[in-house]
Amino acid sequence: GQQLNQSPQSMFIQEGEDVSMNCTSSSIFNTWLWYKQDPGEGPVLLIALYKAGELTSNGRLTAQFGITRKDSFLNISASIPSDVGIYFCAGLRSGGTSYGKLTFGQGTILTVHP
Amino acid sequence: EPEVTQTPSHQVTQMGQEVILRCVPISNHLYFYWYRQILGQKVEFLVSFYNNEISEKSEIFDDQFSVERPDGSNFTLKIRSTKLEDSAMYFCAIQTDTQYFGPGTRLTVL
């Protein structure tokens, strides 16, 4: 089956530091999504990527869709305490859209120390 | 971002009992999903539902599971005879420009 390998599994950083996490796969995904999940809540969409090579920003967040379509990364600049949570990548086989089954990575647990 | 609500927020049930999880209110959407997340693990796809029919389901979605849109607004997931390993968070998602997730129902099977 399709698997997404997300790393790192967890990160402990100081407020103000930059953060980088990534997802890789042995299969091609044609759409990549990044979600954040707070404890006891549902995933909230951060960034959607629809084209290979695409680089998209959302405030302090930047994500890229790898050129091979087998990877994606998410960067958070100048982290703040409210960035704490679990970050998930998710891939879709269908391209240019977000319709269909999402395959999720295992998540990156982010802890930010003030 | 469209609002997705789910009820109940927490359901405790005995093994072997039937449970119905609801995604409400839903209107003017054609494409829905159910996902689950076992505690501490990743989110897993269960089923997608388009135009009142199942369009895709995972191997997790066996005969014990069913989905319905009984009255054109609610979207339900039924587990006919719950097992201990069904304990998880269950998320409904709706499709607009992308998939938006509800807050989830925590199911605990004792």
Side-chain angles (χ1 to χ4, degrees), chain B residues 35-96:
Chain B
Y35 292 81
R36 80 170 186 190
Q37 185 180 31
I38 294 171
L39 185 64
Q41 299 187 22
K42 65 180 180 181
V43 178
E44 299 175 290
F45 169 81
L46 290 178
V47 65
S48 58
F49 192 78
Y50 175 68
N51 206 20
N52 295 319
E53 290 184 352
I54 290 175
S55 57
E56 187 175 2
K57 60 183 180 179
S58 72
E59 56 275 11
I60 303 169
F61 194 87
D62 61 21
D63 292 345
Q64 295 299 312
F65 290 87
S66 61
V67 289
E68 269 192 331
R69 195 178 183 193
D71 55 9
S73 59
N74 295 337
F75 177 50
T76 64
L77 174 70
K78 181 191 295 186
I79 308 175
R80 194 180 323 147
S81 177
T82 51
K83 304 186 287 288
L84 294 176
E85 54 266 36
D86 292 328
S87 295
M89 285 289 290
Y90 288 81
F91 296 106
C92 162
I94 63 167
Q95 182 81 53
T96 57

Side-chain angles (χ1 to χ4, degrees), chain A residues 48-72:
Chain A
L49 302 159
Y50 298 109
K51 287 171 55 176
E54 181 179 353
L55 183 72
T56 297
S57 293
N58 178 9
R60 294 178 296 106
L61 277 60
T62 302
Q64 184 155 30
F65 189 151
I67 210 73
T68 65
R69 293 186 286 163
K70 293 183 178 181
D71 63 324
S72 177

